[in-house]
Amino acid sequence: MTYRLPSLRLETQFDLPRLPLRPGEAATGARPHALRALEGAARGPHVLARLQRSESLLVLDVAPFDEPLALTVVLLADQLSDDTWQRADDAARDPATPRPTAPRTAWVRGARVVALSVSGRLAAAGVLQRATAGHTCTQRLTTVVQPSDLDPEGTLSLTLSELSTAPAWLSGRVEHPLAGVAVARVRLGAAAHVPGPTISCGREAAGGRALVPRSVGGLVVNPATTHPPTLALAPRTSLPRPPLDGDVGTGRRLREVVASARDRAVRHATGVPQELPLEVTTLVDGRRHLVRIVVDDDGWNRLMLDTRGGPVACRPLPEGAAARLPGTGDWWAEVS
Amino acid sequence: MPELTKLRPFCQTARNFWQHHARRDPRRVILVEAMSQDLRVTLRNLSVANALSRLEPADVVVYSGADAGWSQVVWSYFDLDAITRLCEAYGATDVVDVHALVDARVAGATDPVLVHGLDLAGPWPDSRIDPQRLAHVVQATTARMAQVPRTDDTDHVRSWREVVAPRAHEFARVYDAMLDHLDVVALVSSHVDYDSFGLAVEAALRHDVPVLFPQSTGGLKVYGLWPEQQRDEAVRAGLTTTLGAFFEDHVWRHHELLRPASELTTHRSKQVLGRPSWWRPGRAHSAVDMGGPDDRAVLRRAACSELGLDPDRPVVAVFNHAVSDALGTNVEAYPDLATWFEQTLDHAVERDDVGWLFLDHPSQALYDSTEFFATIARRHQGRSHLAFARSMDLSKNTLVAVADTVLTVRGSVSNEYPALGIPAIQTGWSEWSDCGFTTVVTTPEAYVSELDAHLETLHAGRPPMSEEQVERARLWTWFYRAGADVTSPLVPPWQMGQDDAMLDALAVTMLHVEADADPLFTSVHRLWTRRDPALTRADLTLSSEALADSLGWTR
């Protein structure tokens, strides 16, 4: 039994009122009442928390529930989080003489993976690309929380941390995987909604399909349910380019024509590979194995993943011309 | 030093301003210390001196400088030219480099150094300071310069003592000469410790001259050391008792009225607004972001697991001091801070029924060259009920989640933690130690006995401090950060820094704002005429109704 100090009085008259998170509700920067404790991160007006330390803990007040619920954590990599990380780091390095100097940007190159644990259990992992000026990277991590995931106090503890078992290609070149990352919001799904598996690859999925960029090289599949998910991969150049959205200018249309022609040339040069080697890493323990997926008639490579141990990282390893030509290395990915 | 491209035009503005807002009388002087490298410190001292001159017309005489020891050990950018320029702009008639003067005297040089008509290089008699007191100042200064927890006979310490002792002798002699031969209204000093600062303060109080003691934080915080209120023990002892009495008579008396304000100050302190944690920078890392005991329990399990402590048992947090910092300037149970720490550890080794978290001071690197903490920590590795950590390696959240009692000699943790219901045992006096929210012991025997009794209370599940004590701690937080922190546009808040932006803000005030009823002037008037122990933002002697009006509250 955790020792409790009888005289403890942390509350003040000015603390936020306690409003437990209920199914269908989200904790956000503007509505942070459910966030009861925050460690290793700073609250923000527009995000729930900007991460500042190598491990961040969010303790959420959740209304009691007795059946599994979907939990979605929206991660965000943006410039302000970079700066926040850097300022916190500067203060820790030189505690005696903190200086209000302009922060430098946190050092991030390539993609990195951030682990999300629920009550100590690795529940999901998110792949985030570096935020550049004016651009952000958003990833939604969905998992299922059970009543047994609640702390003895009835709260839900979410930990964001580095993933030591991540394969090298997902480790990026970063000060720390959490540098420049914020938790934008945490949403508790409605009780009736059972989420399916999701993909995280540094880009947001549209219509259930995500584009895995060559710069990342792979993706993470977050299972969300015990049902084994099926991952489908296809070279980007093997499928028609999606139509341009909205009112785009002539220059953009011309570039699109050139890109379509280039894709056709790549398709012609590579043909349709009959097998795709895929490196699969179980992120809970870092176990790694190589599988070869046979292509289906529709040009997609499909594989049923064993996600009983939690999220897995997958990295296509194309061979021959498919690995060399410009425009190759980007993949369409779907999971079901 | 920060880039100060606007110091020269600012000084012109300040000169024009103060020539009409201060009152001078060459027959009397206000002595002002300007021995800090930080211009904000000197600016506070000068502002207080000029405000006082409106009540007690006098010339301002500044003693400044830094010797090789301070420049090597403490300062990184001391700029005497900039300080002198600022002092002259604020109307100082004399600015003497007292460190250079003392060095010259030690070397036997006899070139005259005239200060307000007095040749300080002359053959002045020895100071009349109590030799024990002087020896103590020499010891404290030697420890600080050598960056050691206590002075011993090692070559390193001896070499520093050989430098410090003759200099201290000359400092005392020069300060006595000034106070003997000048008509001194008051002395304004940002520090009261060590030879260069402390001996001036000692001399002033011995000559029945009040000392105004501005603090290097907040807006404008000033303590008053009044000769008639001094005690024999140490310079700060009188301040402790007078502040305790003032708090009881004029602050606690209004506790019901002030409760919403003290709650708000505590709330803001949890978020590190106003930096109540003296030594801890970093917003989130130094914030207390948890709502109540349930949240604390979750964080406690995680923190104890990392520290290797049992979350089910009470944990005592022992906050090491910057071990060579201002030794013996108040009443303390042990001869030095290191001895307190070592003897607490000895006791902790025996008491394995609770967990003990020993924390090193965030700025220890500036105060200790002996690896005092690391050596002790290495010696006690492997005991499961003891944990050692650098304070800044742990967040404030972690510390608050783990600590069920805090131990300190005089540290600010003994205010911060009681305000959250976590009791503190002090083995020395501090500014707040007479305000009734900490347990204060002044002998080693009383310390051990009080500590054991306290641990029994924790084991029994009884509250180790009362609701009233929590409220008192919160009220002191308010008093420290609001009631005794004066906001005047003539003294920009500390957090504004000491660069051009601060000078710009100050210049705008001096050029465009009429100074009548400026809080700098009204608060110094109240402090001086009433002999209060602290500068106050409002007249706390008023009735609660009138105080509410003056604080701008709706009753």
Side-chain angles (χ1 to χ4, degrees), chain B residues 151-328:
Chain B
T151 50
D152 52 24
D153 252 351
T154 57
D155 289 347
H156 174 59
V157 172
R158 199 179 319 121
S159 64
W160 272 112
R161 190 185 295 119
E162 285 166 4
V163 172
V164 169
R167 297 188 87 250
H169 209 74
E170 293 304 324
F171 271 122
R173 195 196 297 257
V174 167
Y175 291 141
D176 263 23
M178 285 200 283
L179 283 144
D180 280 342
H181 295 89
L182 300 176
D183 184 359
V184 181
V185 175
L187 182 138
V188 184
S189 179
S190 65
H191 289 72
V192 298
D193 323 297
Y194 308 121
D195 54 5
S196 53
F197 299 93
L199 289 170
V201 172
E202 295 265 2
L205 294 172
R206 260 188 295 114
H207 285 79
D208 282 337
V209 170
V211 175
L212 303 184
F213 179 20
Q215 304 292 294
S216 308
T217 185
L220 180 62
K221 292 178 62 58
V222 181
Y223 291 129
L225 307 178
W226 309 106
E228 67 276 14
Q229 296 170 2
Q230 285 300 298
R231 296 170 59 106
D232 289 338
E233 294 97 331
V235 169
R236 293 174 191 257
L239 182 62
T240 299
T241 51
T242 51
L243 274 171
F246 187 85
F247 183 81
E248 196 64 38
D249 294 344
H250 304 304
V251 185
W252 179 249
R253 181 169 69 90
H254 298 297
H255 71 273
E256 288 184 10
L257 171 77
L258 294 172
R259 188 173 293 132
S262 67
E263 286 285 298
L264 182 55
T265 305
T266 305
H267 174 72
R268 286 167 54 84
S269 297
K270 283 169 63 179
Q271 301 173 58
V272 206
L273 298 172
R275 199 178 173 191
S277 304
W278 254 94
W279 298 95
R280 287 187 70 96
R283 275 290 301 280
H285 197 53
S286 297
V288 179
D289 197 339
M290 59 182 119
D294 285 352
D295 317 322
R296 183 182 189 255
V298 176
L299 292 185
R300 182 185 178 87
R301 282 193 294 274
C304 282
S305 158
E306 196 155 308
L307 291 164
L309 293 172
D310 183 351
D312 301 344
R313 291 181 180 187
V315 174
V316 181
V318 187
F319 287 83
N320 193 21
H321 288 263
V323 287
S324 63
D325 183 23
L327 297 180

Side-chain angles (χ1 to χ4, degrees), chain A residues 1-4 6-15 36-39 41 43 52 57 96 152-153 157, chain B residues 260 263 267 270 284 289-291 294-299 301 311-312 366 395 397-398 420-421 458 461 467 474:
Chain A
M1 180 71 180
T2 306
Y3 180 79
R4 288 181 175 243
S7 59
L8 188 75
R9 204 177 120 203
L10 296 173
E11 308 85 350
T12 70
Q13 293 174 8
F14 294 86
D15 291 350
R36 299 301 304 168
L38 185 61
E39 167 69 11
R43 291 171 189 254
Q52 294 198 337
L57 174 66
E153 292 75 21
S157 297
Chain B
E263 286 285 298
H267 174 72
K270 283 169 63 179
D289 197 339
M290 59 182 119
D294 285 352
D295 317 322
R296 183 182 189 255
V298 176
L299 292 185
R301 282 193 294 274
D312 301 344
L366 302 176
S395 67
N397 251 348
T398 298
L420 302 175
L458 293 179
E467 278 289 312
R474 291 186 173 194

Side-chain angles (χ1 to χ4, degrees), chain B residues 143 145-149 156 323-324 364-372:
Chain B
M145 292 295 110
Q147 295 173 287
V148 293
H156 174 59
V323 287
S324 63
Q364 195 67 277
L366 302 176
Y367 289 84
D368 180 30
S369 61
T370 67
E371 294 201 337
F372 169 76

Side-chain angles (χ1 to χ4, degrees), chain B residues 42 92 99 113 115 220 229 399 407 426 494 503:
Chain B
T42 300
H99 279 270
V113 177
V115 174
L220 180 62
Q229 296 170 2
L399 294 174
L407 305 183
Q426 296 186 252
W494 186 262
L503 296 180

Side-chain angles (χ1 to χ4, degrees), chain B residues 459-471:
Chain B
H459 279 308
R462 295 192 301 271
M465 64 185 297
S466 65
E467 278 289 312
E468 182 184 312
Q469 285 182 302
V470 177
E471 187 162 4

Side-chain angles (χ1 to χ4, degrees), chain A residues 63-84:
Chain A
F65 59 95
D66 46 21
E67 56 182 294
L69 293 176
L71 178 86
T72 300
V73 175
V74 181
L75 297 181
L76 176 75
D78 67 345
Q79 197 71 47
L80 187 54
S81 301
D82 269 2
D83 295 344
T84 307

Side-chain angles (χ1 to χ4, degrees), chain A:
Chain A
M1 180 71 180
T2 306
Y3 180 79
R4 288 181 175 243
L5 182 65
S7 59
L8 188 75
R9 204 177 120 203
L10 296 173
E11 308 85 350
T12 70
Q13 293 174 8
F14 294 86
D15 291 350
L16 286 172
R18 248 190 130 99
L19 285 180
L21 204 58
R22 299 177 188 285
E25 293 179 348
T28 65
R31 195 176 180 281
H33 302 73
L35 183 59
R36 299 301 304 168
L38 185 61
E39 167 69 11
R43 291 171 189 254
H46 304 297
V47 297
L48 195 58
R50 293 192 194 280
L51 311 187
Q52 294 198 337
R53 292 273 149 177
S54 57
E55 188 170 289
S56 297
L57 174 66
L58 287 78
V59 180
L60 290 160
D61 197 0
V62 177
F65 59 95
D66 46 21
E67 56 182 294
L69 293 176
L71 178 86
T72 300
V73 175
V74 181
L75 297 181
L76 176 75
D78 67 345
Q79 197 71 47
L80 187 54
S81 301
D82 269 2
D83 295 344
T84 307
W85 174 278
Q86 198 56 55
R87 275 197 297 271
D89 198 38
D90 281 348
R93 280 184 200 177
D94 189 8
T97 51
R99 293 176 298 270
T101 49
R104 67 178 171 82
T105 304
W107 189 61
V108 181
R109 289 194 180 84
R112 55 348 220 316
V113 64
V114 174
L116 167 69
S117 303
V118 177
S119 299
R121 165 181 65 84
L122 177 62
V127 178
L128 288 151
Q129 289 183 286
R130 183 194 175 182
T132 52
H135 292 89
T136 60
C137 173
T138 305
Q139 291 289 282
R140 288 161 210 281
L141 309 185
T142 301
T143 187
V144 170
V145 288
Q146 310 284 345
S148 59
D149 284 327
L150 294 180
D151 303 315
E153 292 75 21
T155 50
L156 191 64
S157 297
L158 308 183
T159 309
L160 291 141
S161 62
E162 186 176 9
L163 198 52
S164 60
T165 53
W169 60 268
L170 259 184
S171 300
R173 292 176 63 207
V174 294
E175 284 191 358
H176 190 277
L178 267 56
V181 177
V183 176
R185 55 173 54 209
V186 177
R187 184 177 185 80
L188 210 54
H193 173 69
V194 179
T198 53
I199 286 171
S200 181
C201 63
R203 288 198 181 190
E204 282 203 84
R209 181 179 292 183
L211 180 65
V212 182
R214 184 188 189 125
S215 60
V216 176
L219 66 144
V220 168
V221 176
N222 290 308
T225 61
T226 52
H227 177 69
T230 298
L231 173 68
L233 289 166
R236 184 186 59 76
T237 53
S238 70
L239 299 178
R241 296 176 69 82
L244 291 176
D245 285 338
D247 185 20
V248 293
T250 311
R252 178 74 184 87
R253 289 188 187 284
L254 280 174
R255 286 199 299 277
E256 188 62 16
V257 171
V258 173
S260 296
R262 191 186 60 217
D263 284 1
R264 276 196 302 278
V266 170
R267 266 201 302 278
H268 180 72
T270 57
V272 181
Q274 293 305 299
E275 277 192 340
L276 172 66
L278 187 74
E279 180 193 282
V280 179
T281 306
T282 309
L283 291 177
V284 170
D285 52 15
R287 251 183 318 117
R288 202 164 302 171
H289 62 280
L290 194 69
V291 291
R292 299 185 82 84
I293 322 173
V294 179
V295 69
D296 288 344
D297 292 341
D298 57 1
W300 285 83
N301 303 276
R302 289 190 176 82
L303 175 71
M304 188 176 285
L305 294 168
D306 179 3
T307 52
R308 281 172 299 181
V312 294
C314 302
R315 179 194 188 196
L317 299 167
E319 296 166 328
R324 293 194 309 270
L325 290 173
T328 59
D330 299 338
W331 295 81
W332 289 113
E334 293 180 355
V335 67
S336 57

